[in-house]
Amino acid sequence: MDIPTMQKISEEVLEFVQTPPGTTQTIVASKRMQMDAVGNPPAKVKVATALTTEWYGSEELVQLYGPPMSFNSTGIPSDINQMFVAGKFARDNMVLYEPTLNVFYDYEAETGLWKPKTEDRLIVELGNALQEMLHEFDGSVLLKKRTANLLAQILRILRGILEKPDVFQRTQHIIHVGNGVLCLDNHPPTFHEFSHEYYSRNRSEICFNKEAECPKFLGKLLRPALSDDDITLLQRYAGQCLLGRNPSQRFLLLCGSPGGGKSTVVNILEAV
């Protein structure tokens, strides 16, 4: 291969790497030409053929963090952009980091709950995501750089991207139940499907049914021992417990004779 041809190929590769984010310029199929030891005709190796936006997967990610890989002077992938990897993982997964608790949480769509996730598990998932990204972007040559140290560095970056202080401090009056979320701020209260935006970590496993009644609980347990006013008070306090907060700033004392059903009432409320 002559010098002018090599220079032209290098310029094409550099133009590809330096293409500003957000463009839709089609990248010409760059070829790296290799001569064997005895000067036989060169072998052609494809470096890249794609739209810039398709190659990177997302204009927004590239604008925020830069391209996923860097290249050497011959157009071969040479290093991994850790910021891009962390940003892509944050975009593709429903995960957050609560700095006060120093805990990662993963959203479970089936229950509507944010559940704790260990850093060890996240590192494994980051490693799998990095492998998929390198295959997608024709950078498998960099897979040997996927070490525990590299993944730990990416995890530190991910922690900053996902940080949401005090995200679980509820500002809404909601009750998270087995089949959805009851919103008490609306009048009348409304029932909704699960959503990550409620930032709920606990729920009652009992499913909501507005037509349901509890004749045994009222007739056999409460009414023989309590007045109507006390029953109403107990029900209201139990409802407040489901909120996960104590807006009334009160606590409840159950007083009575031994074997009168106090422990049974408490066990039922805890089970709900």
Side-chain angles (χ1 to χ4, degrees):
M1 179 187 300
D2 55 28
I3 298 301
T5 302
M6 292 181 65
Q7 182 177 0
K8 184 176 184 300
I9 292 174
S10 297
E11 290 174 352
E12 289 179 355
V13 172
L14 289 174
E15 180 183 0
F16 165 66
V17 175
Q18 297 172 355
T19 300
T23 66
T24 56
Q25 173 185 355
T26 301
I27 306 303
V28 178
S30 302
K31 307 292 185 178
R32 179 171 58 89
M33 313 298 285
Q34 297 178 331
M35 297 292 290
D36 64 19
V38 295
N40 289 328
K44 299 180 179 180
V45 181
K46 181 178 180 181
V47 175
T49 308
L51 293 177
T52 304
T53 53
E54 291 176 353
W55 200 92
Y56 290 139
S58 172
E59 290 183 353
E60 183 179 359
L61 283 178
V62 177
Q63 290 172 350
L64 287 172
Y65 308 115
M69 298 178 292
S70 56
F71 299 82
N72 61 23
S73 59
T74 61
I76 301 299
S78 60
D79 207 356
I80 298 169
N81 182 347
Q82 299 176 17
M83 290 285 290
F84 184 94
V85 177
K88 187 175 187 300
F89 186 89
R91 183 198 66 179
D92 297 343
N93 297 272
M94 195 73 72
V95 184
L96 65 81
Y97 173 71
E98 214 295 336
T100 304
L101 303 173
N102 193 27
V103 176
F104 284 95
Y105 288 87
D106 186 42
Y107 180 69
E108 187 178 81
E110 293 79 9
T111 62
L113 297 176
W114 287 91
K115 295 191 172 182
K117 173 166 285 191
T118 66
E119 293 187 4
D120 290 340
R121 181 59 196 169
L122 267 176
I123 285 179
V124 172
E125 294 182 1
L126 278 171
N128 294 335
L130 177 58
Q131 179 175 341
E132 293 177 3
M133 188 200 82
L134 292 176
H135 286 324
E136 178 184 355
F137 297 151
D138 296 326
S140 297
V141 66
L142 295 177
L143 194 56
K144 61 186 178 183
K145 292 181 175 287
R146 187 185 58 168
T147 63
N149 183 53
L150 175 72
L151 295 175
Q153 293 173 4
I154 296 174
L155 183 65
R156 285 195 291 270
I157 297 172
L158 184 67
R159 185 180 286 111
I161 294 175
L162 296 176
E163 182 175 300
K164 287 184 178 293
D166 304 323
V167 68
F168 296 118
Q169 291 189 4
R170 282 186 179 172
T171 58
Q172 298 174 293
H173 294 88
I174 64 170
I175 297 177
H176 194 135
V177 293
N179 58 340
V181 178
L182 187 63
C183 297
L184 304 182
D185 287 331
N186 300 325
H187 300 285
T190 53
F191 190 68
H192 302 270
E193 295 181 350
F194 298 135
S195 171
H196 67 279
E197 294 181 348
Y198 291 118
Y199 292 107
S200 180
R201 290 179 294 171
N202 303 284
R203 72 170 186 170
S204 169
E205 296 300 324
I206 306 299
C207 291
F208 173 71
N209 179 3
K210 66 179 181 179
E211 305 296 334
E213 297 180 352
C214 49
K216 289 184 179 180
F217 179 70
L218 291 173
K220 294 186 176 182
L221 182 62
L222 297 188
R223 287 201 176 102
L226 300 175
S227 66
D228 289 342
D229 288 343
D230 286 341
I231 291 175
T232 299
L233 174 63
L234 179 63
Q235 288 180 311
R236 289 177 178 274
Y237 189 83
Q240 177 182 264
C241 292
L242 290 173
L243 290 175
R245 301 186 299 121
N246 186 5
S248 69
Q249 293 297 295
R250 299 288 189 274
F251 63 89
L252 182 67
L253 294 177
L254 297 179
C255 302
S257 59
K262 300 185 298 297
S263 296
T264 302
V265 170
V266 171
N267 291 336
I268 291 173
L269 296 183
E270 288 183 345
V272 172

